[in-house]
Amino acid sequence: MKLIIANWKNKPQTAKEAVELFNKIVKNVQDVKNVQVVICPPFNYLSSFELNVKSLELGCQNTFVKKDETNDQKISWPEAKKHGATFAIVGHSSRRIFLSETDEAINQELKEVLSLGFTPILCIGETAQQRKENKTEEVLKNQLQKGLAGIANIDDLVIAYEPIWAISCGDPYATKTMPTKENISEIKNLIKEIVGNCKVIYGGSTNAANAKDFLEESGMDGLLVGGASLSSEEFVKMVKNI
Ligand code: PGA
């Protein structure tokens, strides 16, 4: 069973648009058998959806690390859970880069979401510069070792390899450099060597045209889809083509 996760980030702009997008996706993927679909909308839209389809789950990101602390800047994971989220995106590159989130903070957040029964999606990936300097392996190892420190049970963990230089920044049709299937396959093996038996998925400029090839040729367990998940037609096509 492949795992296809829609990462809507902070879009669409209104709850009405989000519900429309969600309903169109649900209507078209509910009978799909070989794919588990997860939609990760902005937190404030979570409570707007009616989730009555088995093949679909909700997730979210951008939450606060502690379950019992009062904090007026972020959202708590228990709140996200109350509104139906079962998956949690942790350590996305936008948070590492723009919010300076450290591996240590990511590690705390992972422990928190695991204790609450979420399935965490830990995002890792190197910058273009690190890649140029041949540091990909070192960077990924470091992110995994620090991010997963002290975490024994990794059975339900999903690792998303998202090379930062391949992320489309919202435009699924942008012609950015993409890793080859061989690159991705090597990274998958590296992650499995370090972490063991967990799901490994790929994210970065995936769309309906390249999804199937990526999955088949790289052996990845699924995809984390940004820009292309904001078009119901594109996203549904991706899911159905697999
Ligand atoms: P993209 O985003 O599919 O638009 O490249 C992926 C991500 O940031 O998770």
Side-chain angles (χ1 to χ4, degrees):
M1 172 90 82
K2 297 291 184 190
L3 183 59
I4 307 295
I5 304 173
N7 183 13
W8 289 359
K9 305 181 184 178
N10 60 349
K11 296 201 177 89
Q13 278 188 341
T14 66
K16 187 170 172 280
E17 287 172 276
V19 170
E20 275 169 17
L21 177 59
F22 183 82
N23 288 344
K24 278 189 197 159
I25 293 175
V26 170
K27 192 169 148 222
N28 288 289
V29 304
Q30 55 189 338
D31 297 326
V32 169
K33 298 260 175 334
N34 55 339
V35 181
Q36 182 181 18
V37 178
V38 182
I39 310 274
C40 301
F43 169 83
N44 50 324
Y45 299 153
L46 274 178
S47 57
S48 314
F49 308 130
E50 271 177 48
L51 193 61
N52 50 14
V53 188
K54 274 208 196 91
S55 56
L56 201 133
E57 305 235 15
L58 284 172
C60 98
Q61 67 168 320
N62 202 19
T63 62
F64 188 59
V65 66
K66 294 263 189 254
K67 61 180 155 206
D68 49 1
E69 233 168 277
T70 305
N71 186 294
D72 58 3
Q73 293 162 49
K74 293 189 184 176
I75 293 151
S76 80
W77 285 113
E79 279 295 304
K81 200 171 182 200
K82 211 162 73 191
H83 294 302
T86 52
F87 281 73
I89 299 177
V90 177
H92 190 273
S93 57
S94 54
R95 296 181 62 82
R96 291 179 188 264
I97 295 169
F98 301 118
L99 298 176
S100 308
E101 220 168 65
T102 61
D103 287 306
E104 289 70 23
I106 289 163
N107 176 253
Q108 275 189 62
E109 193 151 7
L110 270 178
K111 287 178 179 160
E112 182 68 13
V113 296
L114 279 166
S115 77
L116 289 165
F118 283 93
T119 301
I121 304 151
L122 170 63
C123 300
I124 57 168
E126 80 284 12
T127 62
Q129 185 61 29
Q130 289 164 336
R131 181 180 183 236
K132 215 165 114 193
E133 292 167 4
N134 281 325
K135 289 192 177 146
T136 300
E137 199 172 316
E138 182 189 326
V139 169
L140 299 183
K141 263 190 188 160
N142 197 41
Q143 288 175 342
L144 286 171
Q145 275 158 1
K146 289 190 177 155
L148 296 175
I151 297 175
N153 182 7
I154 47 103
D155 289 352
D156 291 331
L157 188 72
V158 179
I159 308 277
Y161 171 55
E162 296 208 304
I164 295 167
W165 45 273
I167 293 179
S168 73
C169 302
D171 179 0
Y173 309 107
T175 46
K176 274 205 137 198
T177 326
M178 299 277 285
T180 63
K181 323 305 180 283
E182 293 75 32
N183 291 154
I184 300 184
S185 179
E186 275 167 26
I187 300 288
K188 183 189 170 174
N189 293 339
L190 174 77
I191 295 172
K192 294 242 171 183
E193 243 170 58
I194 299 170
V195 181
N197 192 26
C198 65
K199 282 202 161 144
V200 184
I201 64 175
Y202 168 77
S205 297
T206 55
N207 56 41
N210 62 25
K212 190 174 162 65
D213 279 356
F214 257 118
L215 288 176
E216 279 181 359
E217 292 173 34
S218 68
M220 281 276 168
D221 300 308
L223 301 170
L224 183 54
V225 189
S229 69
L230 291 164
S231 153
S232 59
E233 291 80 17
E234 185 76 12
F235 187 68
V236 167
K237 224 195 273 176
M238 274 180 105
V239 172
K240 289 199 163 171
N241 279 352
I242 288 162

